[in-house]
Amino acid sequence: MRHILLLALALTATPALAQANPQIDYPAFQALTASVAPARATRLIAFDAFKAEAAKPGTLLLDARSKDAFQRGHIKGAVNLPLTDFTAESLAAVVGANPGRPILIYCNNNFSNHRSPVPLKSAPLALNIQTFINLVGYGYPNVLELADVVDFNDPKVEWVTG
């Protein structure tokens, strides 16, 4: 009897952290990630193609790094919206009314410099991965990702500060 009472007490004393949060859906994230992977493989583009796409009217060059990192340096023409600030509303404000608008992305791991403002991140945690998944998850399917590693000192990169 004592054993049953202890078991009942343990079941009713479940900590709040062990309970499911309806606002966090890890299985849906896993499904989204799996569904995005094949598309992402076809959306990686070389630097020259990336720059050519960036020059086209209506294309958004999105930098999802922190505001501070962006201010310390970014590719000319980029618009900053930190990944931590992604919501349906903030993305709509930056992307505009056309969810099919071409969106170009890059991150720290696209640069060989490995110093501020683009220190190398762990490859499985590169910002491009999360940014790509989030953009598609929020309904923006036309994402192109820089595939190459470049030096921000190369004049073709058009690196600017401020």
Side-chain angles (χ1 to χ4, degrees), residues 40 107-109 121-131 145:
R40 182 178 170 267
C107 77
N108 289 13
N109 288 27
K121 304 282 186 168
S122 174
L125 302 174
L127 185 60
N128 279 352
I129 297 169
Q130 295 98 324
T131 302
E145 177 183 332

Side-chain angles (χ1 to χ4, degrees), residues 47-122:
F47 178 74
D48 290 338
F50 186 87
K51 289 295 286 185
E53 287 294 323
K56 291 181 180 176
T59 298
L60 173 64
L61 179 53
L62 181 64
D63 186 322
R65 297 175 305 133
S66 71
K67 180 179 178 182
D68 179 61
F70 180 81
Q71 288 176 340
R72 286 184 281 132
H74 58 272
I75 297 175
K76 182 180 177 181
V79 172
N80 182 232
L81 179 62
L83 179 66
T84 56
D85 293 339
F86 278 23
T87 63
E89 294 79 16
S90 66
L91 283 164
V94 170
V95 176
N98 177 8
R101 179 182 188 186
I103 303 171
L104 301 175
I105 62 170
Y106 65 91
C107 77
N108 289 13
N109 288 27
N110 288 118
F111 299 96
S112 60
N113 308 85
H114 308 309
R115 66 177 191 269
S116 180
V118 290
L120 186 64
K121 304 282 186 168
S122 174

